[in-house]
Amino acid sequence: MAKQVVLAINPGSTSTKVAVIAEDGTVIWQETLRYSVAELAYRENVVEQLPLRLSDLERLLAEKGLGGGKLVGVVGRGGLLRPLHSGTYLVNEAMLADLRQGWGGQHPSNLGGILARMLADRYGVEAYIVDPVSVDEMIPEARRTGLPEIRRFSHLHALNIRRALLRWQKEQSCSPRELTGVAVHLGGGITVAAVRQGRIIDVSNANQGGPMSPERAGALPSAALAYWPEETDYHYPPLAKRLVGGGGLVSYLETNSLVEAEKRAEAGDEKARLALQAMVKQLIKEIGAMAAILDTLPRFLLFTGGMAFSHWLMEQLTSALNWLAPITVYQGEEELPALAEGVFRVLAGEESVRIYPEGVSGE
């Protein structure tokens, strides 16, 4: 009997990552379709990239096939949707409308659900997304700022963080109610999440606060930021691009590479050393803050993401935080397997599939 397989699609800013993954976790094949910035240039809506990306996906599938497996679903990376509970969602017409419109903004991940649905319809199976960036399970207090006109909202690396949580839960043979601790995604943006009984009750939105990271400015002094556009040539949206994509390490060192920054610091570059130490100190403070709101001692500190491969960074964090809770590190960003796992959990009856927008969260 042929293995059940899922086709997983993850559109990025200059690539589309694709894989066929079996129910036992085996990656039958995986490929990355790469594009130049010019090829993917679009004006107002990212969906203008659909014809090119779809035709390339179809060509790749014609060449590769499904590896002899039986396709049971197509899953795409979730886009900037309405605030949602974590889980696996069917791609329905309401979701497609929000993705095409760019309800939460323009981002290549908006194409994930659309491409999944297009291909799923051709194969006669269902289309899904799993744990999009808009997962929002924050408690009401976490949404408040110092101004009623401005509210905090949850944008996070939900796919990778929830995969780490589920992996830890399985390894510890515990129930979701025992999942209380802090989970951290270490990438171009850093997410620090407070998890209480399996729910992400608060999170540092990498685009709006938290520690600086390789490409994000993180939290900034509010009064200074309010006057800054008047004193410089920065105005929104250039200011937004400076904060997200041009902030953090890249603003100090003109590189978003942690590896390069570490090499420069090791060679005696004091500017690089100070920038790295500032990022680490800010990260430690954010982790401590998230641990403090759990109402109990954290059972774990989980680290995941690409920067978790850095021995230097993990040594810094471990030495500073090993007193707080046991530390577990899951290196890398295995987003395609995470997408497939979400579908197989639903098909196995381990989770109920969610229907958009009935799962809309938020206060």
Side-chain angles (χ1 to χ4, degrees), residues 3 26 60-61 70 73 89 108 170 176 181 183 223 227 231 241 273 276 290 312 326 339 343 345:
K3 286 184 178 180
T26 302
L60 181 63
L61 286 166
K70 177 186 177 183
Y89 287 78
K170 183 177 181 180
Y227 289 104
E231 299 169 355
K241 293 181 179 179
R273 186 198 68 80
L276 287 170
M290 290 297 177
W312 174 84
L339 291 170
V343 175
R345 285 195 299 271

Side-chain angles (χ1 to χ4, degrees), residues 130-315:
V130 180
D131 292 321
V133 67
S134 58
V135 164
D136 188 341
E137 301 173 335
M138 288 167 58
I139 54 177
E141 305 94 299
R143 303 182 190 282
R144 296 298 188 270
T145 67
L147 292 174
E149 300 91 339
I150 300 175
R151 299 177 63 201
R152 294 184 66 234
F153 62 93
S154 175
H155 267 186
L156 73 155
H157 298 88
L159 186 65
N160 218 28
I161 282 182
R162 188 157 182 258
R163 186 175 195 257
L165 290 170
L166 291 170
R167 183 173 173 182
W168 190 87
Q169 178 186 341
K170 183 177 181 180
E171 291 173 358
Q172 299 297 317
S173 299
C174 66
S175 70
R177 293 186 62 82
E178 296 175 276
L179 280 175
T180 295
V182 179
V184 184
H185 173 91
L186 299 168
I190 293 175
T191 292
V192 184
V195 184
R196 186 165 66 200
Q197 296 182 350
R199 174 184 174 185
I200 300 173
I201 63 169
D202 200 356
V203 64
S204 65
N205 182 333
N207 290 349
Q208 296 192 341
M212 66 183 256
S213 66
E215 298 179 345
R216 311 288 199 279
L220 296 169
S222 56
L225 188 61
Y227 289 104
W228 190 41
E230 296 183 7
E231 299 169 355
T232 69
D233 293 330
Y234 285 110
H235 299 280
Y236 191 86
L239 174 57
K241 293 181 179 179
R242 168 73 163 161
L243 301 178
V244 179
L249 291 184
V250 73
S251 67
Y252 284 99
L253 306 178
E254 297 183 349
T255 180
N256 62 359
S257 168
L258 179 63
V259 174
E260 174 64 22
E262 287 181 24
K263 287 180 179 178
R264 286 162 57 174
E266 290 171 4
D269 186 330
E270 179 62 14
K271 188 176 180 180
R273 186 198 68 80
L274 187 57
L276 287 170
Q277 288 295 341
M279 183 179 74
V280 169
K281 294 299 183 187
Q282 291 176 24
L283 178 52
I284 291 168
K285 285 195 294 183
E286 190 71 19
I287 291 169
M290 290 297 177
I293 66 168
L294 295 174
D295 300 331
T296 186
L297 288 173
R299 290 195 61 188
F300 56 77
L301 292 181
L302 301 184
F303 292 96
T304 185
M307 288 202 300
F309 283 108
S310 167
H311 297 297
W312 174 84
L313 179 59
M314 297 318 303
E315 285 175 1

